[in-house]
Amino acid sequence: MVSVDFELRKKVMDAHIKDTLKYCYQCARCTDVCPVSKVTDGRYDPRQIILNSFLGLKEAIFNQESNFNLWGCTICDTCDEVCPQKIGLTEVFAVLRNMSITMEEGPEYYTSQASTIYDSGKAIPMQTAIERRRDQLGLPKIEPPNIEEVQKILNETNLNKILKK
Ligand code: SF4
Ligand code: SF4
């Protein structure tokens, strides 16, 4: 049986700008234009995620089998542009993803990328081959990031605790 999680519902509503979530009338324009929904034959369905969030159906959102529902969005913002009620779907998805990460349910590719940024200060660390090629092309040297500063900022977001650094 599916249960309603009022705390989840409140968290999403509180975090969502101007509480507009409740004005969704399930017209499905978001799903119609969503490129991820198209290539997955509707397996990914933003309209359904919005409905589940509004109803507080935690088990339908945070569930390993349906993890794709939470992480499939590419944040292209097309749904936000067409939604007649200006719901701001991607903001809701960001709130849900943050909750998923806090529950340690985030996908491995996501946490490993975050870990790389934490360790090197960059999403793609510099490599000797890239530096050599830049030299050959006469491009200027790239200054290394101040990793301590990057980590200080990330620690403020508690990312170090999530990544167990
Ligand atoms: S387009 Fe907007 S109003 Fe329509 S179902 Fe999607 S979120 Fe709801
Ligand atoms: S932002 Fe996400 S849900 Fe919205 S259209 Fe793009 S991929 Fe689909």
Side-chain angles (χ1 to χ4, degrees), residues 20-111:
T20 52
L21 192 58
K22 63 188 176 199
Y23 298 120
C24 168
Y25 54 62
Q26 292 288 293
C27 68
R29 283 198 74 190
C30 48
T31 302
D32 283 347
V33 298
C34 173
V36 181
S37 182
K38 276 193 186 108
V39 297
T40 59
D41 287 330
R43 189 159 72 90
Y44 178 74
D45 185 352
R47 177 200 61 79
Q48 187 68 51
I49 305 172
I50 291 297
L51 181 62
N52 289 342
S53 308
F54 179 62
L55 296 176
L57 302 181
K58 191 173 183 179
E59 291 144 25
I61 299 170
F62 303 105
N63 165 325
Q64 285 305 320
E65 272 179 42
S66 63
N67 209 3
F68 175 66
N69 269 340
L70 206 48
W71 296 93
C73 171
T74 61
I75 320 182
C76 69
D77 282 330
T78 312
C79 54
D80 287 342
E81 284 175 21
V82 301
C83 173
Q85 297 294 78
K86 309 262 180 279
I87 300 296
L89 293 90
T90 46
E91 284 168 29
V92 178
F93 302 155
V95 172
L96 296 176
R97 285 177 174 196
N98 285 342
M99 289 162 102
S100 166
I101 289 284
T102 309
M103 291 189 279
E104 299 190 3
E105 282 189 6
E108 201 277 329
Y109 65 81
Y110 203 87
T111 43

Side-chain angles (χ1 to χ4, degrees), residues 108-119 122-125 163:
E108 201 277 329
Y109 65 81
Y110 203 87
T111 43
S112 66
Q113 180 75 79
S115 190
T116 302
I117 295 170
Y118 191 90
D119 292 337
K122 299 177 86 168
I124 302 172
L163 297 175

